[in-house]
Amino acid sequence: MTVDDNAGESGTADEAPRRTLGVWFVGARGAIATTVAYGLEAVASGLRGPIGLVSELPEFAGLGLASLDSIVVGGWEVRPGTIARAAADLAANGVLPQDVVAKSAAVGVDARTAPGIARKDDPSASPASRERGELPLREQVRVLGEDLAAFAGSTGVDTVVVVNVASTEAVVATPECASDLAALERALDADEKLPQSVIYAYAALRAGCPHVNFTPSPGASWPALRELAREMSLPHCGDDGKTGETLVKTTLAPMFAHRALKVRAWQGYNMLGNRDGETLSDPANKGAKLRTKDAALRSILGDPKDLHTHVGIDFVPSLHDWKTAWDFVHFEGFLGARMSLQFTWSGSDSALAAPLVIDLVRFTELAKRRGESGELAHLASFFKSPLSGGSHDFHVQFAALVDYARRATTGS
Amino acid sequence: MTVDDNAGESGTADEAPRRTLGVWFVGARGAIATTVAYGLEAVASGLRGPIGLVSELPEFAGLGLASLDSIVVGGWEVRPGTIARAAADLAANGVLPQDVVAKSAAVGVDARTAPGIARKDDPSASPASRERGELPLREQVRVLGEDLAAFAGSTGVDTVVVVNVASTEAVVATPECASDLAALERALDADEKLPQSVIYAYAALRAGCPHVNFTPSPGASWPALRELAREMSLPHCGDDGKTGETLVKTTLAPMFAHRALKVRAWQGYNMLGNRDGETLSDPANKGAKLRTKDAALRSILGDPKDLHTHVGIDFVPSLHDWKTAWDFVHFEGFLGARMSLQFTWSGSDSALAAPLVIDLVRFTELAKRRGESGELAHLASFFKSPLSGGSHDFHVQFAALVDYARRATTGS
Amino acid sequence: MTVDDNAGESGTADEAPRRTLGVWFVGARGAIATTVAYGLEAVASGLRGPIGLVSELPEFAGLGLASLDSIVVGGWEVRPGTIARAAADLAANGVLPQDVVAKSAAVGVDARTAPGIARKDDPSASPASRERGELPLREQVRVLGEDLAAFAGSTGVDTVVVVNVASTEAVVATPECASDLAALERALDADEKLPQSVIYAYAALRAGCPHVNFTPSPGASWPALRELAREMSLPHCGDDGKTGETLVKTTLAPMFAHRALKVRAWQGYNMLGNRDGETLSDPANKGAKLRTKDAALRSILGDPKDLHTHVGIDFVPSLHDWKTAWDFVHFEGFLGARMSLQFTWSGSDSALAAPLVIDLVRFTELAKRRGESGELAHLASFFKSPLSGGSHDFHVQFAALVDYARRATTGS
Amino acid sequence: MTVDDNAGESGTADEAPRRTLGVWFVGARGAIATTVAYGLEAVASGLRGPIGLVSELPEFAGLGLASLDSIVVGGWEVRPGTIARAAADLAANGVLPQDVVAKSAAVGVDARTAPGIARKDDPSASPASRERGELPLREQVRVLGEDLAAFAGSTGVDTVVVVNVASTEAVVATPECASDLAALERALDADEKLPQSVIYAYAALRAGCPHVNFTPSPGASWPALRELAREMSLPHCGDDGKTGETLVKTTLAPMFAHRALKVRAWQGYNMLGNRDGETLSDPANKGAKLRTKDAALRSILGDPKDLHTHVGIDFVPSLHDWKTAWDFVHFEGFLGARMSLQFTWSGSDSALAAPLVIDLVRFTELAKRRGESGELAHLASFFKSPLSGGSHDFHVQFAALVDYARRATTGS
């Protein structure tokens, strides 16, 4: 689970020992993780092409990324069930194709799933997860670390990347200990109340695993965690996968800026019906998501005072995983002419997220192999709120990824 | 009308002699030219801010572009009337604001308007324009050149840029003489039938004027004309201003490519009600426009075999200048999930085009001053079908313009 | 101000004395009242045709409605200003056409405007309105009644119809006195806190004036006021003009019902930027509006348990009077197929409301002349929440109006 | 195959002999017929509810319509294949649910399918169909009649209704023989070239079977055929099922008329990817469809001179059966304010059509049982171009159906 000595060679020479990569999810039977598990098998077996996989674009062909059939999936899950049941539910709602579910087996995923950390009063959580939730924090970290070691040991994977795809956590005030690793260590010792996403991230980094935060929950975004990542020489990235409306927004907004058109209002209405939608229908949880969605837009447009923006998320159960968003852009052109652009985006949330998770795991594993650590700035295009900061302009972000690949390939 | 000796200093030093710039339109009382004439005055006088003017973005502040109040407008026009009447019509349809028309006078534009070249059987053309249309081609070129010289002489402008904003011409087969300047000269001698946009472009370049083709008509796009531009050491650019739906298309399409999403269909439906719309409702004229609109998309997406595209333009009189476009993008994501993005764009065609015309004139004058000649590749972002070829990706194009500005400013 | 003796003859015989009709607004310089004042003049003078006026449809030609040039406008207004200034603001935002404002004078409207009743701490209210607000309720009713009498006296109109077009009031709990006229009288005597719309409605009915409530505020909807209307033998109607999104909704929803299609979700997002929008951006005020909007839909669809609906209203200042709404309908068809219908409605709120106000005034005056009293059920098509109850299906409501006209004309 | 003596009792009394109804399709393995076959089984067995079935609405509960489990399906088909293969294709494209295909067997449909009449040069037709196409017309009519008799005989159904759901035929000039039955008989004798839909309709009526034309092809719409229906005392209905965009159009258009709003332009863009779309992508076939779509709108709006309309149909293969339509309505309100309504409709063509076909068959069988003949005016709401003429207003049409049911039930 440490960086391989012969980094750089892997994937290029036929005789190289086969490199394997473990993905360990926070939320192992959620819609995204399930789609990753079945999708990897479908693409690796040739049942489906690599549509949606950025890492399979020609621009990244020479990077020696871990091959798709070398990726092994496992993770923590707080709810009871099996991945087969999760897949059947996704299939019934048109997210996973019937033939993919029928032919892929996601064999062994259930065996590689450990209980997560649940609140003891969470009625939807498994007893084992609720038990774990009652352990002192230091004990939680210990058992989570044992899970990661066991996964690596039983599968023999060279690297384990921990990916948070769990439901968005309720927004809480950031505690003082967030800003400093020593303070966080004290808080762990004192068993203070900390967000679960932070516990998972801490446990991952302490276990030597790179961390990917695909959610808007804090994860490894606190300065204390960033310090830990640097201390452990581990790469990590986040926050909040840029899958749909924000992707379109950060693609379109630069157009207005580059044409000197004055955006007066940008109203975004999101509707979704999966568990994430239900979680977000609670205003407490919605906060985190909306904040990151709005900030990107304002940043691209130069945060003008008279810009009016709105981002709404509504839970519409019948949509299930099919997220639909309507954006209305009211802008002013030459001599004050009022014009508008509106778009409707309709896509499967999980089908959009899953390939990006696979991409992130591959790019992050490569970064670890290359000895990179800290926030991976070249992966900003994947996130609504990149840990590394920088431009939210999707084109600028993608150009940075291509540039990284060019430099990594040519060694320049 | 020749390049000033102290090029490069202008606009930067206070003591520098005031540089003036003449814009000579093909189509001087059309909606775009009228909006330019009134708009320039409104912005130069401070009645309106520089919204929509790319050349006023901070990225281009150090270039020493001709100041907005130094620009003088004139041109050729085949239809009878006055610019005040054209402005009143635009005001009645909400394109030009009432106060802009009331306070701006576009003084002298009518005096600086000369007859164009019209077919003798064109019932909407002025008698003078029809007369000109009956002259032999060499005579036409001569009188057009005299107009340009008279404009420069009477206004004292340092440079005249000729800009074609006339209605789209009917598509005709490209003659053999298009490919070679000597052949074109012979065709002119022989008084062969040539597109009017080509005659105008030829006359402009021969008179030492840079040429901007904002229309899909041939203009200076034939190899013979490009040869002439190089021979005359003149910069020029075109074709077909990228004002609305194609702008959005070339902004959005790269997003699908960069996310490895497979676009299966991209249907574009355009509706407009101005003279351009009427002209384009004739299938013969529509051809040119649709070709350039479709090519950009296919180029960005890698021209996949199973991509189905459609671009329609319909004349809807009640919309007048307010172009409305609906695009439907059907795309495939991970494991074949079918998703869609649709957008409705609603904007004033003239208000979108006019500032870009002003930008092009300023950038082209600068290019002439800097001694550049031939197709101006850095202006590709302004066109549906850039003469210089290259990427249609709006972001790539804009980055090239910023890069040009950086190099021009730092002298690197 | 009482019903004329020769009722029924007016408008049909040439020799009949000219009948005149006074409209007295609550909110006399608001966008709707201003548009009514200028619009009446523009249509009566022939500057504009009768577009948008339901009462000018052939179906109602034989009813002997008061002619448009016989209508005189006045009203109460809490804010300072002139109607000319209100009109200029509407013209600048494209609601009133420039030529209508230039040629119509709305002469005398300012002279026929009296102070309204404002809270003493309302910073935007005129001093005279704030003074009135401090009077005991019985005094308020008295001065309001004097205004109505003075209006009738000075203009000589035969009938005065009071129309509430003021901003939506904050939702408050309905007091016990609402249900019984005697109790309401005691509450007035005791100077209890009552909604202003109720005071206006009480004063109007007591003064013998029919009342039209174009807003979602209580107005004359309390049982006590309905009792008063019957006691005074006066017709009245309301609540809340059906101008835009709800009109489309109650037109479309029956289609799903009649085709046995199962609507699973109907999400409606409204954006507007006028004073009404600002008022509604306060959640307290929004409540009234949203309740009436949602109830109509549920009623038409049979209020199924698994129907998910949402109605949002957002304040988007740059839109000014141009209300834009997006509705998304997710429905299930044969064998469970998931389908959708979405629409975007974009219209000027005042231009939609003003003609309906004129229609309501004319139909209400006719009802008074015909001796009808109480809630006018045949005017349900004009309201989001008809006082008379009944079907919300726009087609059923319109058929009822046509049927009323047929019966009124044929005397059957 | 004759009207039962105890008509009126059937379906109401438990002891009544079970009435059975045969549906014989023209196009028995097309998407609609296949969806009907599987859907009937799914609904009759309780696997799915009666969503989309108008005839199952409470308004029609007392009519004694043939029960769903009494309907037997068969038909003519020109292409080779099996209904199971057709169903698998629909399932793969999300039209038929997997569990419906898995659990329903459409047992016996293939056995009850006879060859259709194909042109001998039609490469996609079965040899048997091409053979039939070479027979003299009188022979064709004879064998078609034998098919109907055999179907009735083998299944024992009381009534056979012939329903045309075949692909739209190319538009041809209507021959003189269309206007008179005697002339048509001579044309049949003379073996003149006649549209296939006419041959099928003639054969059906001659065999004593009511006819439903769900397509825009001529079918039984020629006066000669209508004469035959009356002569045979048979009810029939058509043309062209009102399933999607036209349904919405004829629901919405009356709203504009009733509100005195002036529609200036109604642009409709349809996209579909199934066989019907492919057929319609041929301009020759498109004609029939577009004509009926446009006429309905113009009729509702009073056919104003300055109304600009457009109806387009484009073939977009990736959409398969999922028809998507965008309509843009540009309208003028009070004082000339320009407003717009746009909608996007997205639905499965077959899932929309199939239940209406079932409804039509049930209502038509009832009409036959009740002794009605000729064009069934009460079924106008089901058609884009009702044979009976009358209003295109969907609400008026539906009210007529409800009224028919009330009269039929109460015997008034």
Side-chain angles (χ1 to χ4, degrees), chain D residues 20-69:
Chain D
T20 54
L21 165 53
V23 185
W24 188 262
F25 286 115
V26 184
R29 279 193 297 268
I32 297 178
T34 304
T35 306
V36 167
Y38 282 81
L40 268 174
E41 228 177 294
V43 177
S45 71
L47 181 63
R48 284 292 190 281
I51 296 181
L53 284 165
V54 176
S55 52
E56 290 288 308
L57 287 176
E59 287 91 332
F60 312 111
L63 280 175
L65 293 167
S67 69
L68 293 170
D69 61 358

Side-chain angles (χ1 to χ4, degrees), chain B residues 50-127:
Chain B
I51 297 180
L53 284 165
V54 177
S55 52
E56 290 288 308
L57 286 175
E59 286 91 332
F60 311 112
L63 280 175
L65 294 166
S67 69
L68 293 170
D69 62 358
S70 76
I71 302 177
V72 185
V73 168
W76 294 299
E77 176 58 62
V78 294
R79 285 167 307 129
T82 64
I83 195 160
R85 231 168 315 163
D89 181 51
L90 291 173
N93 282 284
V95 180
L96 279 178
Q98 296 279 0
D99 66 327
V100 164
V101 175
K103 289 184 191 152
S104 306
V107 173
V109 172
D110 285 332
R112 293 190 299 269
T113 303
I117 306 170
R119 290 191 319 271
K120 66 178 169 183
D121 59 348
D122 180 347
S124 68
S126 66

Side-chain angles (χ1 to χ4, degrees), chain A residues 35-36 38-40 42-43 48-54 57 59 94-97 100 242-243 247-248 251-252 254-262 322 331-348 350-352 354-356 358 381-383 393-395 398, chain B residues 35-36 38-40 42-43 48-54 57 59 94-97 100 242-243 247-248 251-252 254-262 322 331-348 350-352 354-356 358 381-383 393-395 398:
Chain A
T35 306
V36 167
Y38 281 81
L40 268 175
V43 178
R48 284 294 188 282
I51 295 180
L53 285 165
V54 176
L57 287 175
E59 287 90 333
V95 180
L96 279 179
V100 164
K242 183 150 87 171
T243 53
L247 174 65
V248 181
T251 297
L252 275 174
M255 180 190 84
F256 293 100
H258 296 347
R259 278 292 201 236
L261 297 166
K262 185 176 176 54
W322 291 88
F331 64 98
E332 218 174 290
F334 196 50
L335 308 177
R338 296 296 164 93
M339 321 196 194
S340 70
L341 173 66
Q342 55 183 282
F343 67 82
T344 302
W345 167 269
S346 171
S348 159
S350 304
L352 287 161
L356 300 182
I358 298 171
S381 66
F382 291 91
F383 296 106
D393 179 331
F394 176 63
H395 307 276
F398 186 74
Chain B
T35 305
V36 167
Y38 281 81
L40 268 175
V43 177
R48 283 293 189 282
I51 297 180
L53 284 165
V54 177
L57 286 175
E59 286 91 332
V95 180
L96 279 178
V100 164
K242 182 149 87 172
T243 54
L247 174 64
V248 182
T251 297
L252 275 175
M255 179 189 82
F256 294 100
H258 297 346
R259 278 291 200 238
L261 297 166
K262 186 175 176 54
W322 291 88
F331 64 98
E332 216 173 292
F334 196 52
L335 307 178
R338 296 295 165 94
M339 320 197 193
S340 71
L341 172 66
Q342 54 183 287
F343 68 81
T344 303
W345 167 268
S346 172
S348 159
S350 304
L352 286 162
L356 301 182
I358 297 172
S381 66
F382 291 90
F383 297 107
D393 180 330
F394 176 62
H395 306 275
F398 186 74

Side-chain angles (χ1 to χ4, degrees), chain C residues 16 18 22 24 32 67 69 84 117 120 227 249 256 282 322 333 337 354 371 374 398:
Chain C
R18 184 181 169 66
W24 188 262
I32 297 177
S67 70
D69 61 359
I117 305 171
K120 63 178 170 183
E227 197 181 331
K249 242 179 191 167
F256 293 99
D282 178 342
W322 291 88
F398 187 74

Side-chain angles (χ1 to χ4, degrees), chain A residues 103-286:
Chain A
K103 290 185 191 153
S104 305
V107 173
V109 172
D110 286 331
R112 292 190 299 267
T113 302
I117 306 172
R119 288 193 318 273
K120 64 179 168 182
D121 58 348
D122 181 346
S124 68
S126 65
S129 296
R130 288 199 302 244
E131 264 171 47
R132 283 194 165 192
E134 294 197 63
L135 295 176
L137 292 187
R138 284 294 183 196
E139 272 302 284
Q140 289 183 5
V141 170
R142 195 185 53 77
V143 296
L144 296 176
E146 283 174 5
D147 291 337
L148 294 172
F151 176 52
S154 68
T155 58
V157 292
D158 300 293
T159 306
V160 172
V161 178
V162 172
V163 184
N164 191 339
V165 290
S167 290
T168 301
E169 294 174 357
V171 178
V172 292
T174 306
E176 287 209 7
C177 68
S179 56
D180 177 80
L181 180 55
L184 181 65
E185 297 286 3
R186 284 191 301 272
L188 287 166
D189 291 338
D191 215 29
E192 290 179 11
K193 194 171 162 46
L194 293 175
Q196 281 152 1
S197 66
V198 170
I199 309 291
Y200 287 120
Y202 178 89
L205 294 170
R206 271 287 170 232
C209 299
H211 184 261
V212 175
N213 184 12
F214 207 74
T215 78
S217 304
S221 67
W222 288 0
L225 274 294
R226 300 186 186 213
E227 198 181 329
L228 175 59
R230 281 191 305 274
E231 188 183 304
M232 301 290 296
S233 294
L234 285 170
H236 68 118
C237 58
D239 288 354
D240 206 2
K242 183 150 87 171
T243 53
E245 188 222 11
T246 307
L247 174 65
V248 181
K249 242 180 192 166
T250 58
T251 297
L252 275 174
M255 180 190 84
F256 293 100
H258 296 347
R259 278 292 201 236
L261 297 166
K262 185 176 176 54
V263 176
R264 296 293 305 271
W266 195 308
Q267 303 283 111
Y269 299 98
N270 295 271
M271 305 181 301
L272 74 175
N274 54 17
R275 200 171 302 125
D276 202 30
E278 204 170 354
T279 305
L280 291 170
S281 71
D282 178 344
N285 302 343
K286 205 187 290 197

